[in-house]
Amino acid sequence: MDSHKKLLLGNKAWVEEKLGVNPRFFEDSATVQRPEFMWIGCSDSRVPAEDVTGAEAGELFVHRNIANLVVHTDFNMLSVLQYAVEVLKVKHVIVCGHYNCGGVRNAMTRYDLGLINKWLRHIKDVYRMNKRELESIADEQLRWDRLVEMNVTEQVQNLAQTSIIQKAWHAEQRPIVHGWVYDLRTGYVKEIACMHPNSQLDDIYMFDFEPDKSGR
Ligand code: CO
């Protein structure tokens, strides 16, 4: 059997399973979605958002890219974020990295990977900013683990620095921004960072949404 047919058969089995539990499952979900969570994860095949969290279809609004980055000129990620925050009005935005992330690993090396160099450059910046701590870790696996964590923390900051998040914080006191790391070796997710609507950022990144204070 062609391997892709396994996926189509899997789809049929999944439909039957869902209908077995709730005969209206697809009718109910076809018209509207009301996810409470936006998920920004790695494209890695071993970190499927719904599986590792036990979430159902309809619960997570998902964006995935290599090494779960929040790049402030990435219109793809920003569009997903804007839709999630302003239209779906999610209560939580979760950045979930994972140990043994190949993107993070490659960013720690001098490998020339062509186009991907430009994407991984953002992780090299995180490395440079934390070089002292990282290079004090002798064990290579532990250093890799630590950079995975630092990368997630940095992406949480990057989210908080967007006007999309700040506007929602200002007007509606949501969403909470979370930084998680999934451990492929155990299956467990660990919380490593969290930013609430009243969190303080470095002043240079703060937008002023009161027109009379804009200085214009
Ligand atoms: Co990864």
Side-chain angles (χ1 to χ4, degrees), residues 5-191:
K5 289 193 177 145
K6 194 182 106 186
L7 299 182
L8 295 170
L9 286 173
N11 167 253
K12 287 200 178 80
W14 176 76
V15 170
E16 281 159 25
E17 186 198 315
K18 289 289 168 202
L19 293 176
V21 176
N22 174 10
R24 292 184 46 88
F25 182 84
F26 295 101
E27 284 165 63
D28 290 349
S29 64
T31 47
V32 69
Q33 62 166 336
R34 290 192 193 83
E36 241 182 86
F37 310 97
M38 175 177 169
W39 173 278
I40 300 174
C42 185
S43 299
D44 193 304
S45 61
R46 300 164 296 176
V47 196
E50 283 82 2
D51 283 3
V52 305
T53 56
E56 284 291 341
E59 288 191 282
L60 305 180
F61 196 66
V62 174
H63 177 81
R64 290 169 70 180
N65 61 42
I66 292 176
N68 41 271
L69 298 184
V70 174
V71 175
H72 66 85
T73 50
D74 175 2
F75 289 120
N76 184 350
M77 179 281 302
L78 289 169
S79 302
V80 179
L81 179 67
Q82 187 184 358
Y83 193 77
V85 171
E86 294 180 6
V87 181
L88 298 173
K89 299 195 177 291
V90 296
K91 294 185 180 136
H92 303 270
V93 178
I94 298 156
V95 181
C96 187
H98 67 100
Y99 294 125
N100 289 14
C101 181
V104 172
R105 178 73 200 137
N106 279 298
M108 296 171 79
T109 71
R110 291 181 164 204
Y111 297 141
D112 171 18
L113 299 165
L115 177 67
I116 306 171
N117 295 341
K118 297 168 191 358
W119 189 251
L120 298 184
R121 174 51 208 286
H122 298 287
I123 309 173
K124 287 184 185 283
D125 292 341
V126 177
Y127 187 101
R128 176 177 48 77
M129 290 185 285
N130 296 283
K131 195 172 176 146
R132 191 186 294 258
E133 181 185 336
L134 287 165
E135 297 193 350
S136 74
I137 304 171
D139 183 272
E140 219 173 299
Q141 176 72 47
L142 293 178
R143 199 184 318 138
W144 183 9
D145 287 357
R146 187 70 187 114
L147 184 55
V148 164
E149 294 168 358
M150 287 167 168
N151 183 49
V152 165
T153 304
E154 188 67 19
Q155 305 321 313
V156 167
Q157 289 286 331
N158 285 344
L159 279 169
Q161 289 161 7
T162 64
S163 54
I164 297 168
I165 292 289
Q166 286 184 30
K167 243 182 224 170
W169 279 359
H170 179 78
E172 298 181 28
Q173 292 295 301
R174 63 163 187 91
I176 299 171
V177 182
H178 304 265
W180 293 357
V181 177
Y182 171 70
D183 193 335
L184 297 168
R185 301 160 293 202
T186 64
Y188 286 108
V189 167
K190 186 161 79 176
E191 296 191 69

